[in-house]
């Protein structure tokens, strides 16, 4: 590239100063020559006469950004999920789209999932009910190695979750589209077909942890047909995408006891509407999409390293396959 690339950061205005300062520090540390501009993601109107940029760093950008910048060559998404970006009809399909591969999120998500699993394993919800009734009844505690936890999705984040659960003594089974090998974990792979390996993966699980990306193949994946394969009274933990669940069917399975509990951090509509049944169900814990957040310094370091690699013509990790959706 003959000149230093122009990089536009598109984020909420309140977050801009810290992200711009961190990007400038990271670029300087790597001797990256790039001009850095800011665009407010809250402005949904396309602006005229905007200097053309080659690179964008975005978080929930409006479609107007891509009307202004139709010739972007490289787009960094400040998160692991790219479904909202891919849904924009004017996203430049000739650009290379790169998602964050971790940036501190894997450890936080693994901690959240472990806490959710331990809460149910140790019976803390049931003890809370006993407390309200002034009841003193110790509950039996199962051998951890007999509690089978399935992790649906074994990328960087899913792999970290599976490893944390394994290290805590649970029996862990994982499922991915392609073959994976993780020490001490029963790794399975294949299509998301209930009549094949996917159905076998679900069979008899005591806990199911959803960590998949949102694609046409995963919308509504976890409804009654899939969740009925789990062991009776199983615990569902979803930190992937809310649209993976068929909410009415999840609530029905909770009511009839096929599901014993659900810990849900992501929802098809966010914020979760006040009238939604999850809010009031006694066996559902709702958290407001807090299982992990993008950490500033790791994210900026990853972006700067990948920008430098792109300028050298080196291969990049985290490149999104537009056809697969992740």
């Amino acid at each position: 590239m003959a000149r230093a690339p122009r990089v536009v950061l598109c984020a909420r205005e309140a977050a801009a100063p810290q992200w711009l300062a961190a990007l400038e520090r990271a670029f300087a540390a790597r001797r990256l020559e790039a001009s850095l501009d800011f665009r407010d993601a809250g402005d949904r109107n396309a602006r005229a006469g905007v200097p053309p940029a080659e690179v964008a760093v975005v978080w929930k950008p409006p479609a107007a950004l891509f009307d202004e910048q139709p010739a972007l060559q490289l787009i960094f998404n400040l998160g692991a999920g790219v479904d909202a970006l891919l849904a924009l009809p004017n996203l430049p399909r000739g650009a290379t789209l790169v998602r964050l591969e971790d940036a501190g999120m894997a450890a936080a998500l693994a901690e959240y999932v472990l806490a959710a699993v331990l809460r149910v394993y140790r019976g803390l919800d049931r003890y809370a009910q006993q407390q309200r009734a002034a009841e003193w009844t110790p509950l039996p505690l199962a051998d951890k190695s007999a509690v089978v936890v399935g992790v649906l999705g074994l990328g960087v984040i899913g792999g970290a979750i599976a490893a944390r659960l394994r290290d805590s003594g649970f029996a862990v089974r994982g499922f991915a589209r392609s073959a994976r090998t993780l020490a001490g974990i029963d790794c399975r792979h294949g299509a998301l077909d209930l009549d094949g390996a996917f159905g076998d993966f679900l069979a008899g699980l005591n806990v199911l942890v959803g960590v998949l990306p949102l694609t046409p193949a995963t919308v509504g994946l976890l409804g009654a047909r899939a969740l009925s394969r789990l062991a009776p009274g199983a615990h569902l933990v979803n930190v992937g995408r809310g649209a993976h669940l068929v909410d009415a069917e999840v609530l029905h399975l909770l009511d009839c006891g096929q599901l014993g509990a659900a810990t849900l951090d992501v929802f098809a509509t966010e914020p979760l509407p006040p009238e939604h049944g999850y809010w009031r169900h006694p066996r559902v814990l709702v958290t407001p999409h807090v299982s992990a957040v993008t950490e500033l310094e790791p994210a900026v370091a990853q972006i700067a390293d990948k920008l430098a690699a792109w300028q050298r013509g080196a291969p990049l990790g985290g490149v999104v396959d537009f056809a697969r959706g992740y």
Side-chain angles (χ1 to χ4, degrees), residues 106-264:
L109 277 157
E111 180 179 73
Y112 176 97
V113 170
L114 178 61
V117 174
L118 287 173
R119 191 187 92 253
V120 173
Y121 168 69
R122 294 303 303 256
L124 298 184
D125 287 349
R126 294 173 67 186
Y127 286 126
Q129 293 173 357
Q130 289 185 17
Q131 179 181 348
R132 289 191 288 271
E135 177 184 347
W136 184 282
T137 306
L139 301 171
L141 193 61
D143 182 349
K144 274 186 188 176
S145 65
V147 178
V148 186
V149 184
V151 179
L152 182 54
L154 286 178
V156 172
I157 290 172
I161 290 171
R164 187 72 177 270
L165 292 165
R166 174 203 63 202
D167 293 347
S168 297
F170 295 101
V172 183
R173 187 187 299 170
F175 192 87
R177 176 174 176 169
S178 54
R180 299 280 194 280
T181 301
L182 295 170
I185 295 168
D186 178 5
C187 295
R188 308 184 184 188
H189 69 280
L192 295 171
D193 179 1
L194 285 172
D195 295 324
F198 177 51
D200 294 339
F201 159 77
L202 294 170
L205 290 175
N206 302 110
V207 182
L208 175 63
V209 181
V211 203
L212 289 175
L214 186 63
T215 70
T218 63
V219 172
L221 178 69
L222 299 178
R225 287 188 64 232
L227 297 175
S228 294
R229 306 281 183 115
L230 309 181
H235 179 200
L236 172 65
V237 181
N238 193 24
V239 293
R241 284 292 183 265
H244 293 156
L245 305 187
V246 181
D247 291 342
E249 295 178 11
V250 170
L251 288 164
H252 171 72
L253 293 175
L254 286 161
D255 287 338
C256 72
Q258 170 58 33
L259 286 177
T263 301
L264 307 177

Side-chain angles (χ1 to χ4, degrees), residues 44-110:
R44 309 190 71 82
N45 298 312
R47 302 167 301 166
V50 175
E54 291 79 24
V55 180
V57 178
V58 305
W59 179 242
K60 297 183 178 179
L65 169 69
F66 302 114
D67 289 333
E68 297 168 6
Q69 300 288 359
L72 288 167
Q73 300 174 38
L74 182 65
I75 302 170
F76 291 103
N77 185 54
L78 290 174
V82 294
D83 45 281
L85 264 181
L86 293 176
L88 296 176
N90 62 343
L91 178 71
R93 297 286 159 160
T96 298
L97 176 59
V98 181
R99 56 179 171 78
L100 290 182
E101 295 178 274
D102 181 355
M105 291 182 288
L109 277 157

